[in-house]
Amino acid sequence: MASDKFLDLAEKYKDIPFNDSRVVKYKETHGWEVLLQTAQEIKFVDSAIRALVAEMADIMYAAHGVGLAAPQVGRSLRLLVYDAGGGLQALINPQVSKEKGEQYEPEEGCLSIPGLRGVVRRPSQIYVHALTANGHPVRFKARDFEARIICHEVDHLNGILFTDRADPKTLHMLTPEEQAAEREPTP
């Protein structure tokens, strides 16, 4: 499903610092309550949904992020985008049907809670059912980092933040220097 258009977006933003004004921030942005709601199922995959996928990809890559759910851009829809290193993927109405194993790394953060990090136990393997941005059904197995990203973003669709699942003893804010380094262009 990765297309050259979206790979070009990743390349376009790799050296640009992120202006995160389009991402809903927990308890900071007007309408932040959307982050705590169960998102609505998408009934029809049409040009408006595909345009939202493109906008979300644009935001995610500009943020140097690896995943983004529609509630994070103020839309209560069951849609997520991610890139685990193999190009952009969009999942509509995703469902995780089976989970196996455990993983605790890497530490998680969230564009909607800037600077906060923590350890979250996630499955190391999941089975996913969803629709593509073209409305075609897809079933696949995701492992390790890809599984972590999908689980994090599906949680957003269910009104769950990573802080709800994180080991509270591991939650910590990045220092201002670490936050600045994350936002600097990559060499």
Side-chain angles (χ1 to χ4, degrees), residues 16-20 25 28 62-65 107-118 162 171-186:
I16 298 174
F18 175 50
N19 172 357
D20 59 2
K25 305 295 183 307
E28 291 180 18
H64 306 283
E107 240 181 14
E108 287 190 26
C110 182
L111 295 174
S112 291
I113 311 175
L116 187 65
R117 298 292 183 272
F162 89 97
L171 289 172
H172 66 281
M173 290 299 292
L174 296 177
T175 66
E177 295 80 18
E178 291 169 325
Q179 287 186 42
E182 275 193 352
R183 294 177 189 266
E184 286 180 14
T186 55

Side-chain angles (χ1 to χ4, degrees), residues 5 7 9 24 32 45 49 60 65 73 76 85-86 95 99 109 126 128 144 147 160 163 166-167 169-170 179:
K5 174 182 173 185
L7 293 176
L9 280 174
V24 174
W32 64 267
V45 180
I49 295 298
M60 179 188 73
V73 295
S76 183
Q95 296 178 345
E99 301 177 355
I126 60 174
V128 181
D144 303 321
I160 299 168
T163 53
D167 177 344
K169 294 177 285 193
T170 67
Q179 287 186 42

